[in-house]
Amino acid sequence: MTVQWGVQIHSGYHCHKCDQQMDIILLYKPTNTIFLFNGYFFHTELAYEKTAAMIDLAKQYGIILENRYSAFIKSEYIMHVCPHCDAGQGDNYVVVDNQQINSTLMKKSFIAVYEEQTELWNEIPLEQWRKKLSESPAIRPVQLVVPMMEKDKALKLGAQWNSRNKSWYIPGDADLKPFEQWLPTTKGWME
């Protein structure tokens, strides 16, 4: 089975225990809506649901992920570990705190494809993945990132609102070209 994740590597996150800077990895489902706040993910969909395969992905970028107990959720899950003091960085710190206006800086953003049978990772640059999505029949519906002030424009072009998921999407086999500015991996949103 092949699995895809959207990945952002950020620098400048401060450990909640020793206050030293460390890199973090934010993961999301690339075809789902990603809400952004001041250029950062409003949530990371894979928080508390990371698989063991993500440990190796993070390691390639010098980021430590380990399965540890969290008093916050009273369970074990794969979380960031500070390379300076070995303190676990719960996703309530890394994910939620990173959504605030802060000093983290995005170092890299890409789509990671993991092939479970071979246990190999493949990195796809965002623009290449976006182009492939635009040129081939995509899994429908394709979710969009539509700012509140642009909702009327998106509606006129044929976007639809899913009130249950609170997300915008393109139904059926609609052409993606008119919706490029709202695709989750649009360059302006991701850089």
Side-chain angles (χ1 to χ4, degrees), residues 15 18 20-22 64 81-87:
C15 169
C18 72
Q20 293 289 315
Q21 288 191 19
M22 58 186 274
I64 303 169
V81 175
C82 177
H84 308 287
C85 71
D86 197 47

Side-chain angles (χ1 to χ4, degrees), residues 10 17 35 45 68 90 110 130 136 149 170 177 187:
H10 285 247
K17 184 175 180 184
F35 296 98
E45 294 177 276
R68 292 200 177 176
F110 58 93
R130 209 173 132 248
S136 64
M149 57 280 223
I170 308 168
K177 193 80 175 149
K187 193 171 183 173

Side-chain angles (χ1 to χ4, degrees), residues 51-52 73 76 137:
T51 66
I73 65 168
E76 284 189 359

Side-chain angles (χ1 to χ4, degrees), residues 80-100:
H80 286 80
V81 175
C82 177
H84 308 287
C85 71
D86 197 47
Q89 308 293 305
D91 279 354
N92 55 308
Y93 291 105
V94 174
V95 177
V96 178
D97 286 359
N98 196 54
Q99 313 322 316
Q100 314 308 316

Side-chain angles (χ1 to χ4, degrees), residues 45-56:
E45 294 177 276
L46 296 172
Y48 307 114
E49 297 175 20
K50 296 180 209 72
T51 66
M54 293 176 185
I55 294 172
D56 289 335

Side-chain angles (χ1 to χ4, degrees), residues 148-167:
M148 180 84 71
M149 57 280 223
E150 296 179 18
K151 68 181 178 84
D152 292 335
K153 183 178 175 185
L155 277 170
K156 282 183 184 176
L157 290 171
Q160 294 186 12
W161 174 252
N162 182 331
S163 57
R164 188 167 51 107
N165 295 338
K166 299 197 180 339
S167 62

Side-chain angles (χ1 to χ4, degrees), residues 10-28:
H10 285 247
S11 63
Y13 174 80
H14 289 265
C15 169
H16 68 85
K17 184 175 180 184
C18 72
D19 202 38
Q20 293 289 315
Q21 288 191 19
M22 58 186 274
D23 288 355
I24 58 172
I25 185 169
L26 298 179
L27 302 146
Y28 59 96

